[in-house]
């Protein structure tokens, strides 16, 4: 897809959302079921994903790990966002990779130490780009990728999370 094709696809959406802000609001929903052996089966739109404990928390390693899934979501979102921004800015991107790595201290997750927080302490996102671009263009590309990547923005400005219990 080139810049003109991307603009043509997005123009009617942008016009619609400018005219009717409510049309831009969408609630995404994912459900999971509790399965035997400490597994949660997530009903992904692309098929079920069985999620289990990471081996560092006592899991077998045969199921998806939610920490890996978070990093996968970040890589996927930042990657597709970068491609869209590069296309819109007409920066020729010949190839490259994107990777994320995050540091976890499992003492927090396992309750070994109340002083150790649960969750990622640091996450590093690395872009390796093969592009015919100036350093300024690449800097702008990354700046805009971070601005428009949903997962990146959610990680740096966390959403409000509420819980509801429904007994069945």
């Amino acid at each position: 897809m080139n810049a003109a094709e991307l603009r043509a696809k997005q123009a009617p959406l942008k016009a619609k959302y400018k005219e009717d802000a409510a049309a831009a609001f969408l609630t995404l929903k994912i459900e999971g079921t509790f399965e035997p052996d400490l597994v949660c089966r997530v009903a992904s739109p692309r098929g079920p994903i069985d999620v289990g404990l990471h081996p560092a928390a006592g899991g077998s390693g045969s199921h998806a790990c939610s920490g890996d899934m978070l990093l996968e979501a970040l890589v996927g979102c930042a990657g597709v966002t970068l491609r869209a921004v590069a296309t819109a800015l007409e920066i020729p991107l010949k190839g490259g990779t994107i990777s994320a790595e995050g540091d976890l201290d499992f003492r927090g997750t396992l309750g070994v130490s109340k002083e150790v927080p649960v969750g990622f302490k640091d996450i590093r996102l690395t872009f390796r780009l093969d592009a015919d671009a100036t350093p300024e263009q690449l800097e702008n590309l990354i700046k805009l990728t971070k601005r428009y990547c949903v997962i990146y923005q959610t990680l740096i400005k966390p959403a409000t999370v509420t819980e509801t219990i429904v007994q069945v």
Side-chain angles (χ1 to χ4, degrees):
M1 179 178 299
N2 63 35
E5 292 168 332
L6 179 61
R7 284 187 194 95
K9 277 189 168 278
Q10 291 182 340
L13 295 170
K14 289 180 177 186
K16 178 180 178 181
Y17 301 158
K18 281 182 183 177
E19 184 178 310
D20 179 10
F25 187 84
L26 182 66
T27 299
L28 304 180
K29 183 178 179 180
I30 299 291
E31 290 187 356
T33 57
F34 304 112
E35 303 294 325
D37 299 324
L38 301 177
V39 169
C40 179
R41 179 161 293 146
V42 177
S44 160
R46 276 136 305 282
I49 303 169
D50 286 346
V51 182
L53 294 174
H54 189 278
S60 67
S62 61
H63 300 100
C65 162
S66 54
D68 289 337
M69 292 172 72
L70 178 76
L71 296 178
E72 291 164 358
L74 176 58
V75 165
C77 187
V80 74
T81 302
L82 182 134
R83 292 292 301 204
V85 171
T87 299
L89 296 178
E90 298 181 337
I91 296 174
L93 191 59
K94 294 186 268 185
T97 63
I98 179 172
S99 62
E101 56 184 29
D103 302 325
L104 284 167
D105 186 336
F106 279 89
R107 293 176 299 163
T109 299
L110 293 175
V112 172
S113 172
K114 292 190 187 308
E115 288 76 41
V116 175
V118 176
F120 284 100
K121 181 179 184 303
D122 294 300
I123 295 175
R124 291 167 298 283
L125 192 57
T126 303
F127 299 91
R128 290 174 192 83
L129 303 175
D130 182 6
D132 291 327
T134 66
E136 293 79 19
Q137 286 175 308
L138 293 178
E139 184 178 318
N140 191 42
L141 176 61
I142 299 305
K143 179 181 87 171
L144 294 174
T145 295
K146 292 183 336 185
R147 179 185 301 163
Y148 296 118
C149 175
V150 171
I151 304 302
Y152 183 91
Q153 286 298 317
T154 302
L155 287 170
I156 65 168
K157 295 181 232 165
T160 301
V161 179
T162 58
E163 306 79 34
T164 303
I165 299 172
V166 179
Q167 191 168 5
V168 292

PDB file of all heavy atoms in Angstrom, residues 70-96:
ATOM      1  N   LEU A  70       1.860  -9.705  26.200  1.00  0.00           N
ATOM      2  CA  LEU A  70       1.920  -8.247  26.312  1.00  0.00           C
ATOM      3  C   LEU A  70       3.014  -7.694  25.396  1.00  0.00           C
ATOM      4  O   LEU A  70       2.791  -6.733  24.655  1.00  0.00           O
ATOM      5  CB  LEU A  70       2.174  -7.823  27.751  1.00  0.00           C
ATOM      6  CG  LEU A  70       2.291  -6.318  27.960  1.00  0.00           C
ATOM      7  CD1 LEU A  70       0.922  -5.669  27.920  1.00  0.00           C
ATOM      8  CD2 LEU A  70       2.989  -6.005  29.249  1.00  0.00           C
ATOM      9  N   LEU A  71       4.191  -8.333  25.428  1.00  0.00           N
ATOM     10  CA  LEU A  71       5.281  -7.886  24.555  1.00  0.00           C
ATOM     11  C   LEU A  71       4.936  -8.117  23.095  1.00  0.00           C
ATOM     12  O   LEU A  71       5.257  -7.293  22.233  1.00  0.00           O
ATOM     13  CB  LEU A  71       6.586  -8.592  24.923  1.00  0.00           C
ATOM     14  CG  LEU A  71       7.138  -8.298  26.326  1.00  0.00           C
ATOM     15  CD1 LEU A  71       8.407  -9.112  26.576  1.00  0.00           C
ATOM     16  CD2 LEU A  71       7.373  -6.821  26.550  1.00  0.00           C
ATOM     17  N   GLU A  72       4.258  -9.226  22.782  1.00  0.00           N
ATOM     18  CA  GLU A  72       3.808  -9.485  21.410  1.00  0.00           C
ATOM     19  C   GLU A  72       2.844  -8.402  20.945  1.00  0.00           C
ATOM     20  O   GLU A  72       2.928  -7.930  19.806  1.00  0.00           O
ATOM     21  CB  GLU A  72       3.133 -10.860  21.323  1.00  0.00           C
ATOM     22  CG  GLU A  72       4.083 -12.024  21.503  1.00  0.00           C
ATOM     23  CD  GLU A  72       3.384 -13.342  21.804  1.00  0.00           C
ATOM     24  OE1 GLU A  72       2.139 -13.383  21.922  1.00  0.00           O
ATOM     25  OE2 GLU A  72       4.102 -14.353  21.925  1.00  0.00           O
ATOM     26  N   ALA A  73       1.931  -7.998  21.829  1.00  0.00           N
ATOM     27  CA  ALA A  73       0.980  -6.940  21.475  1.00  0.00           C
ATOM     28  C   ALA A  73       1.709  -5.628  21.209  1.00  0.00           C
ATOM     29  O   ALA A  73       1.388  -4.901  20.266  1.00  0.00           O
ATOM     30  CB  ALA A  73      -0.061  -6.763  22.582  1.00  0.00           C
ATOM     31  N   LEU A  74       2.712  -5.325  22.026  1.00  0.00           N
ATOM     32  CA  LEU A  74       3.485  -4.100  21.829  1.00  0.00           C
ATOM     33  C   LEU A  74       4.238  -4.139  20.505  1.00  0.00           C
ATOM     34  O   LEU A  74       4.200  -3.176  19.729  1.00  0.00           O
ATOM     35  CB  LEU A  74       4.462  -3.895  22.989  1.00  0.00           C
ATOM     36  CG  LEU A  74       5.406  -2.695  22.885  1.00  0.00           C
ATOM     37  CD1 LEU A  74       4.637  -1.387  22.758  1.00  0.00           C
ATOM     38  CD2 LEU A  74       6.356  -2.666  24.076  1.00  0.00           C
ATOM     39  N   VAL A  75       4.902  -5.252  20.217  1.00  0.00           N
ATOM     40  CA  VAL A  75       5.653  -5.379  18.963  1.00  0.00           C
ATOM     41  C   VAL A  75       4.706  -5.297  17.769  1.00  0.00           C
ATOM     42  O   VAL A  75       4.970  -4.589  16.796  1.00  0.00           O
ATOM     43  CB  VAL A  75       6.472  -6.692  18.940  1.00  0.00           C
ATOM     44  CG1 VAL A  75       6.956  -7.033  17.536  1.00  0.00           C
ATOM     45  CG2 VAL A  75       7.651  -6.593  19.901  1.00  0.00           C
ATOM     46  N   GLY A  76       3.584  -6.002  17.845  1.00  0.00           N
ATOM     47  CA  GLY A  76       2.636  -5.985  16.733  1.00  0.00           C
ATOM     48  C   GLY A  76       2.059  -4.604  16.492  1.00  0.00           C
ATOM     49  O   GLY A  76       2.011  -4.122  15.351  1.00  0.00           O
ATOM     50  N   CYS A  77       1.641  -3.941  17.557  1.00  0.00           N
ATOM     51  CA  CYS A  77       1.029  -2.619  17.423  1.00  0.00           C
ATOM     52  C   CYS A  77       2.049  -1.592  16.942  1.00  0.00           C
ATOM     53  O   CYS A  77       1.786  -0.826  16.013  1.00  0.00           O
ATOM     54  CB  CYS A  77       0.423  -2.197  18.764  1.00  0.00           C
ATOM     55  SG  CYS A  77      -0.525  -0.666  18.689  1.00  0.00           S
ATOM     56  N   ALA A  78       3.224  -1.573  17.564  1.00  0.00           N
ATOM     57  CA  ALA A  78       4.251  -0.612  17.153  1.00  0.00           C
ATOM     58  C   ALA A  78       4.716  -0.903  15.726  1.00  0.00           C
ATOM     59  O   ALA A  78       4.963   0.028  14.953  1.00  0.00           O
ATOM     60  CB  ALA A  78       5.432  -0.637  18.121  1.00  0.00           C
ATOM     61  N   GLY A  79       4.783  -2.174  15.368  1.00  0.00           N
ATOM     62  CA  GLY A  79       5.220  -2.527  14.012  1.00  0.00           C
ATOM     63  C   GLY A  79       4.250  -2.080  12.947  1.00  0.00           C
ATOM     64  O   GLY A  79       4.647  -1.475  11.945  1.00  0.00           O
ATOM     65  N   VAL A  80       2.972  -2.341  13.145  1.00  0.00           N
ATOM     66  CA  VAL A  80       1.984  -1.941  12.132  1.00  0.00           C
ATOM     67  C   VAL A  80       1.817  -0.424  12.121  1.00  0.00           C
ATOM     68  O   VAL A  80       1.629   0.186  11.064  1.00  0.00           O
ATOM     69  CB  VAL A  80       0.646  -2.688  12.322  1.00  0.00           C
ATOM     70  CG1 VAL A  80      -0.145  -2.180  13.510  1.00  0.00           C
ATOM     71  CG2 VAL A  80      -0.188  -2.627  11.059  1.00  0.00           C
ATOM     72  N   THR A  81       1.932   0.199  13.283  1.00  0.00           N
ATOM     73  CA  THR A  81       1.845   1.663  13.353  1.00  0.00           C
ATOM     74  C   THR A  81       3.021   2.289  12.614  1.00  0.00           C
ATOM     75  O   THR A  81       2.845   3.231  11.830  1.00  0.00           O
ATOM     76  CB  THR A  81       1.787   2.142  14.817  1.00  0.00           C
ATOM     77  OG1 THR A  81       0.663   1.535  15.463  1.00  0.00           O
ATOM     78  CG2 THR A  81       1.672   3.652  14.907  1.00  0.00           C
ATOM     79  N   LEU A  82       4.227   1.761  12.848  1.00  0.00           N
ATOM     80  CA  LEU A  82       5.401   2.284  12.153  1.00  0.00           C
ATOM     81  C   LEU A  82       5.249   2.142  10.641  1.00  0.00           C
ATOM     82  O   LEU A  82       5.548   3.072   9.898  1.00  0.00           O
ATOM     83  CB  LEU A  82       6.669   1.562  12.624  1.00  0.00           C
ATOM     84  CG  LEU A  82       7.950   2.083  11.970  1.00  0.00           C
ATOM     85  CD1 LEU A  82       9.027   2.298  13.007  1.00  0.00           C
ATOM     86  CD2 LEU A  82       8.440   1.141  10.892  1.00  0.00           C
ATOM     87  N   ARG A  83       4.747   0.999  10.188  1.00  0.00           N
ATOM     88  CA  ARG A  83       4.552   0.804   8.744  1.00  0.00           C
ATOM     89  C   ARG A  83       3.554   1.823   8.192  1.00  0.00           C
ATOM     90  O   ARG A  83       3.757   2.377   7.116  1.00  0.00           O
ATOM     91  CB  ARG A  83       4.066  -0.617   8.449  1.00  0.00           C
ATOM     92  CG  ARG A  83       5.065  -1.729   8.707  1.00  0.00           C
ATOM     93  CD  ARG A  83       6.227  -1.709   7.779  1.00  0.00           C
ATOM     94  NE  ARG A  83       5.798  -1.829   6.404  1.00  0.00           N
ATOM     95  CZ  ARG A  83       6.524  -2.284   5.419  1.00  0.00           C
ATOM     96  NH1 ARG A  83       7.749  -2.683   5.651  1.00  0.00           N
ATOM     97  NH2 ARG A  83       6.073  -2.341   4.183  1.00  0.00           N
ATOM     98  N   ALA A  84       2.478   2.071   8.922  1.00  0.00           N
ATOM     99  CA  ALA A  84       1.477   3.031   8.461  1.00  0.00           C
ATOM    100  C   ALA A  84       2.047   4.451   8.436  1.00  0.00           C
ATOM    101  O   ALA A  84       1.829   5.203   7.477  1.00  0.00           O
ATOM    102  CB  ALA A  84       0.233   2.974   9.342  1.00  0.00           C
ATOM    103  N   VAL A  85       2.787   4.819   9.477  1.00  0.00           N
ATOM    104  CA  VAL A  85       3.378   6.157   9.530  1.00  0.00           C
ATOM    105  C   VAL A  85       4.416   6.314   8.421  1.00  0.00           C
ATOM    106  O   VAL A  85       4.452   7.338   7.727  1.00  0.00           O
ATOM    107  CB  VAL A  85       3.985   6.439  10.924  1.00  0.00           C
ATOM    108  CG1 VAL A  85       4.786   7.740  10.926  1.00  0.00           C
ATOM    109  CG2 VAL A  85       2.890   6.490  11.992  1.00  0.00           C
ATOM    110  N   ALA A  86       5.270   5.305   8.219  1.00  0.00           N
ATOM    111  CA  ALA A  86       6.275   5.372   7.149  1.00  0.00           C
ATOM    112  C   ALA A  86       5.596   5.515   5.791  1.00  0.00           C
ATOM    113  O   ALA A  86       6.056   6.282   4.937  1.00  0.00           O
ATOM    114  CB  ALA A  86       7.164   4.126   7.180  1.00  0.00           C
ATOM    115  N   THR A  87       4.491   4.809   5.600  1.00  0.00           N
ATOM    116  CA  THR A  87       3.747   4.902   4.344  1.00  0.00           C
ATOM    117  C   THR A  87       3.183   6.308   4.170  1.00  0.00           C
ATOM    118  O   THR A  87       3.323   6.918   3.115  1.00  0.00           O
ATOM    119  CB  THR A  87       2.615   3.853   4.308  1.00  0.00           C
ATOM    120  OG1 THR A  87       3.201   2.552   4.390  1.00  0.00           O
ATOM    121  CG2 THR A  87       1.797   3.964   3.043  1.00  0.00           C
ATOM    122  N   ALA A  88       2.549   6.827   5.223  1.00  0.00           N
ATOM    123  CA  ALA A  88       1.946   8.166   5.145  1.00  0.00           C
ATOM    124  C   ALA A  88       3.000   9.248   4.895  1.00  0.00           C
ATOM    125  O   ALA A  88       2.748  10.203   4.157  1.00  0.00           O
ATOM    126  CB  ALA A  88       1.174   8.467   6.423  1.00  0.00           C
ATOM    127  N   LEU A  89       4.177   9.090   5.496  1.00  0.00           N
ATOM    128  CA  LEU A  89       5.252  10.075   5.334  1.00  0.00           C
ATOM    129  C   LEU A  89       6.094   9.809   4.087  1.00  0.00           C
ATOM    130  O   LEU A  89       7.038  10.559   3.809  1.00  0.00           O
ATOM    131  CB  LEU A  89       6.165  10.081   6.567  1.00  0.00           C
ATOM    132  CG  LEU A  89       5.542  10.518   7.887  1.00  0.00           C
ATOM    133  CD1 LEU A  89       6.562  10.412   9.015  1.00  0.00           C
ATOM    134  CD2 LEU A  89       4.964  11.912   7.791  1.00  0.00           C
ATOM    135  N   GLU A  90       5.750   8.742   3.382  1.00  0.00           N
ATOM    136  CA  GLU A  90       6.486   8.332   2.177  1.00  0.00           C
ATOM    137  C   GLU A  90       7.967   8.121   2.458  1.00  0.00           C
ATOM    138  O   GLU A  90       8.836   8.523   1.690  1.00  0.00           O
ATOM    139  CB  GLU A  90       6.243   9.317   1.032  1.00  0.00           C
ATOM    140  CG  GLU A  90       4.781   9.368   0.627  1.00  0.00           C
ATOM    141  CD  GLU A  90       4.489  10.313  -0.524  1.00  0.00           C
ATOM    142  OE1 GLU A  90       5.267  11.257  -0.767  1.00  0.00           O
ATOM    143  OE2 GLU A  90       3.464  10.084  -1.193  1.00  0.00           O
ATOM    144  N   ILE A  91       8.246   7.448   3.583  1.00  0.00           N
ATOM    145  CA  ILE A  91       9.606   7.039   3.918  1.00  0.00           C
ATOM    146  C   ILE A  91       9.771   5.611   3.412  1.00  0.00           C
ATOM    147  O   ILE A  91       9.095   4.697   3.901  1.00  0.00           O
ATOM    148  CB  ILE A  91       9.861   7.106   5.443  1.00  0.00           C
ATOM    149  CG1 ILE A  91       9.754   8.551   5.936  1.00  0.00           C
ATOM    150  CG2 ILE A  91      11.219   6.503   5.783  1.00  0.00           C
ATOM    151  CD1 ILE A  91       9.841   8.697   7.437  1.00  0.00           C
ATOM    152  N   PRO A  92      10.618   5.397   2.433  1.00  0.00           N
ATOM    153  CA  PRO A  92      10.789   4.047   1.892  1.00  0.00           C
ATOM    154  C   PRO A  92      11.402   3.107   2.930  1.00  0.00           C
ATOM    155  O   PRO A  92      12.555   3.266   3.318  1.00  0.00           O
ATOM    156  CB  PRO A  92      11.729   4.237   0.703  1.00  0.00           C
ATOM    157  CG  PRO A  92      11.839   5.700   0.479  1.00  0.00           C
ATOM    158  CD  PRO A  92      11.446   6.376   1.748  1.00  0.00           C
ATOM    159  N   LEU A  93      10.616   2.169   3.399  1.00  0.00           N
ATOM    160  CA  LEU A  93      11.069   1.193   4.388  1.00  0.00           C
ATOM    161  C   LEU A  93      11.302  -0.120   3.653  1.00  0.00           C
ATOM    162  O   LEU A  93      10.365  -0.771   3.205  1.00  0.00           O
ATOM    163  CB  LEU A  93      10.009   1.040   5.485  1.00  0.00           C
ATOM    164  CG  LEU A  93      10.378   0.270   6.727  1.00  0.00           C
ATOM    165  CD1 LEU A  93      11.575   0.903   7.434  1.00  0.00           C
ATOM    166  CD2 LEU A  93       9.191   0.233   7.679  1.00  0.00           C
ATOM    167  N   LYS A  94      12.577  -0.475   3.485  1.00  0.00           N
ATOM    168  CA  LYS A  94      12.925  -1.684   2.730  1.00  0.00           C
ATOM    169  C   LYS A  94      12.767  -2.938   3.587  1.00  0.00           C
ATOM    170  O   LYS A  94      12.566  -4.022   3.064  1.00  0.00           O
ATOM    171  CB  LYS A  94      14.357  -1.586   2.210  1.00  0.00           C
ATOM    172  CG  LYS A  94      14.540  -0.481   1.176  1.00  0.00           C
ATOM    173  CD  LYS A  94      15.922  -0.502   0.590  1.00  0.00           C
ATOM    174  CE  LYS A  94      16.819   0.425   1.381  1.00  0.00           C
ATOM    175  NZ  LYS A  94      18.161   0.572   0.830  1.00  0.00           N
ATOM    176  N   GLY A  95      12.850  -2.786   4.889  1.00  0.00           N
ATOM    177  CA  GLY A  95      12.734  -3.933   5.785  1.00  0.00           C
ATOM    178  C   GLY A  95      13.190  -3.565   7.174  1.00  0.00           C
ATOM    179  O   GLY A  95      13.431  -2.409   7.487  1.00  0.00           O
ATOM    180  N   GLY A  96      13.324  -4.580   7.992  1.00  0.00           N
ATOM    181  CA  GLY A  96      13.779  -4.360   9.352  1.00  0.00           C
ATOM    182  C   GLY A  96      13.051  -5.257  10.323  1.00  0.00           C
ATOM    183  O   GLY A  96      12.263  -6.125   9.934  1.00  0.00           O
TER     184      GLY A  96
END
